[in-house]
Amino acid sequence: MKKELPHFNVGTAYGGAQDWCRTQWMKMGGCAAITACDCSLCFELYKGKTGLYPHDRNNISQEDYVDFAYVMEPYLRPRWSGIDKLDIYIEGFTKFLHQRGVTDIALTPWDGKENLEDTKTVIKKQIDSGWPIPCLTLKHKAPAMDDFVWHWYILNGYEEFEDTFMVKAVTYGTWRWLDLKMLWTTGHQRKGGLILFS
């Protein structure tokens, strides 16, 4: 079984990218804000919301997207420790949504310590319902996850095989399929987790 959500393109990029940003802080630590920007655009394009993206959502230029990233920055501001807790993300993004009149989307944390099978179930439920999933990975033992260490990115698809569950991870203006078991089994005590929308 395979399910992928529609996303959007900025030129040839698949979604936004923090390395487009103008300041070093956002280039280094703007990943949370970028995922919130991508989710906001998906809410406008596919969930019927309005007032979130300040430009033409049907003609998304890199310049306009970067402008939007700096609108989002005060709500999910880069910091020395990173946005390393789910509740910091929830507080900031919820404030952004509410200040723009979108009060009917709830954000709920799904801790990285939850077991793998329950996590598969919740990912399938979210994506089947049309919700992208912001995901935080902190430290990770797998070399294949090096690009995702201390990083926020989006899950917007899954494919289930007999013994493998793959997720589509979106970041840096592109996407990659990852084995959820590898992604979720970080090998470290401190975990990240998911943000669930409803």
Side-chain angles (χ1 to χ4, degrees):
M1 181 184 295
K2 185 176 184 178
K3 174 82 173 184
E4 294 179 74
L5 297 182
H7 206 62
F8 61 90
N9 290 93
V10 184
T12 59
Y14 187 82
Q18 71 196 75
D19 50 8
W20 299 340
C21 291
R22 298 182 293 267
T23 56
Q24 196 62 26
W25 264 113
M26 282 291 280
K27 286 177 185 287
M28 290 175 54
C31 53
I34 295 299
T35 63
C37 289
D38 272 27
C39 288
S40 296
L41 270 158
C42 288
F43 296 161
E44 288 229 356
L45 292 166
Y46 311 117
K47 287 291 188 181
K49 305 305 176 187
T50 59
L52 298 177
Y53 183 63
H55 303 290
D56 181 0
R57 66 187 181 190
N58 297 310
N59 183 27
I60 306 166
S61 69
Q62 184 172 315
E63 182 180 357
D64 286 348
Y65 186 95
V66 170
D67 178 73
F68 184 38
Y70 284 96
V71 172
M72 189 66 73
E73 181 189 21
Y75 300 91
L76 292 166
R77 187 178 299 282
R79 58 203 75 189
W80 283 113
S81 63
I83 296 178
D84 58 347
K85 297 182 178 65
L86 302 181
D87 59 346
I88 299 174
Y89 189 102
I90 288 172
E91 180 182 354
F93 195 19
T94 299
K95 185 176 181 181
F96 170 84
L97 294 171
H98 285 191
Q99 288 185 352
R100 282 151 184 80
V102 176
T103 58
D104 58 347
I105 295 178
L107 282 68
T108 307
W110 183 265
D111 194 275
K113 293 181 180 177
E114 298 286 351
N115 73 62
L116 181 62
E117 288 305 314
D118 288 346
T119 301
K120 287 181 189 176
T121 299
V122 81
I123 287 172
K124 288 172 66 175
K125 182 179 178 182
Q126 286 286 285
I127 291 174
D128 287 346
S129 299
W131 296 111
I133 306 170
C135 179
L136 170 64
T137 297
L138 296 173
K139 294 181 179 180
H140 206 290
K141 65 180 181 180
M145 291 295 293
D146 284 352
D147 289 342
F148 298 87
V149 168
W150 224 267
H151 189 56
W152 283 93
Y153 50 100
I154 288 174
L155 306 181
N156 76 344
Y158 68 83
E159 186 167 10
E160 192 168 17
F161 302 95
E162 186 174 335
D163 57 355
T164 308
F165 188 87
M166 304 294 288
V167 289
K168 186 178 179 183
V170 179
T171 189
Y172 300 120
T174 188
W175 52 267
R176 186 196 307 179
W177 287 95
L178 298 171
D179 183 335
L180 181 66
K181 183 176 181 180
M182 176 194 67
L183 184 159
W184 207 246
T185 309
T186 66
H188 292 273
Q189 186 66 27
R190 190 176 175 199
K191 311 290 185 181
L194 310 174
I195 303 295
L196 308 180
F197 298 118
S198 58

